[in-house]
Amino acid sequence: MLIFLELLVKSFFESVRSDFTNMKTSQSSSLTSAQLTEASKLGQLLARLRTARRVKQVDAAIRAGLSRNTVYRMEHGDPGIAFGQILRYLDAIAPGTTLGDLYAESDPALAMLRVREQTKRVRDMSSSELDALDF
């Protein structure tokens, strides 16, 4: 009889635990594709601003009081990140910057990043140009 009761109690607790596990829902599954695209864009903008300001991801995470994993998820567009964490991270990267500034890409560091990213094409010299350089 005691073994039966132990099995019954164990079964009950396992079912309760599985109910609580199933209560968690993924934010990704409850959002539309447009909303997921917006979350991804926000993450890309944050990562780009951080890169433009030449701040390491680890350093930005420490300044914001977040884990590096949370920052990684944020920059990769995870919609499950809390709004307050996003604001703290933005302030850690660029103090005083608003979300409007982020979306407008008005930070001067972003302009410098665009200049650095521009590719400069180099073409082969013509034979006459090579002859002109031959001393």
Side-chain angles (χ1 to χ4, degrees):
M1 181 76 170
L2 186 60
I3 293 173
F4 175 72
L5 283 175
E6 286 177 11
L7 289 174
L8 185 64
V9 169
K10 184 177 179 181
S11 172
F12 171 75
F13 282 115
E14 285 178 4
S15 68
V16 168
R17 186 178 68 201
S18 74
D19 287 345
F20 283 119
T21 305
N22 293 332
M23 287 177 66
K24 276 184 146 179
T25 58
S26 170
Q27 291 295 320
S28 298
S29 63
S30 61
L31 296 176
T32 66
S33 62
Q35 291 168 329
L36 290 173
T37 302
E38 277 300 309
S40 179
K41 181 180 178 183
L42 176 60
Q44 290 171 358
L45 288 171
L46 286 167
R48 187 159 172 76
L49 180 61
R50 179 186 56 77
T51 303
R53 292 230 163 189
R54 297 181 181 206
V55 177
K56 291 181 184 177
Q57 195 176 53
V58 172
D59 295 338
I62 291 170
R63 288 180 195 170
L66 303 169
S67 72
R68 188 186 165 287
N69 182 40
T70 300
V71 168
Y72 175 85
R73 288 177 36 222
M74 186 184 306
E75 288 187 359
H76 283 82
D78 184 347
I81 302 296
F83 190 68
Q85 290 175 326
I86 293 170
L87 294 176
R88 284 194 344 243
Y89 187 64
L90 177 60
D91 193 55
I93 295 169
T97 302
T98 64
L99 283 174
D101 296 336
L102 178 67
Y103 273 94
E105 296 185 43
S106 61
D107 194 282
L110 289 170
M112 293 302 297
L113 180 63
R114 279 191 288 276
V115 169
R116 286 194 315 258
E117 289 175 340
Q118 287 178 346
T119 57
K120 296 183 173 64
R121 302 186 86 166
V122 178
R123 62 175 175 78
D124 291 333
M125 296 177 95
S126 68
S127 59
S128 62
E129 290 171 329
L130 286 172
D131 288 338
L133 291 176
D134 190 17
F135 297 108

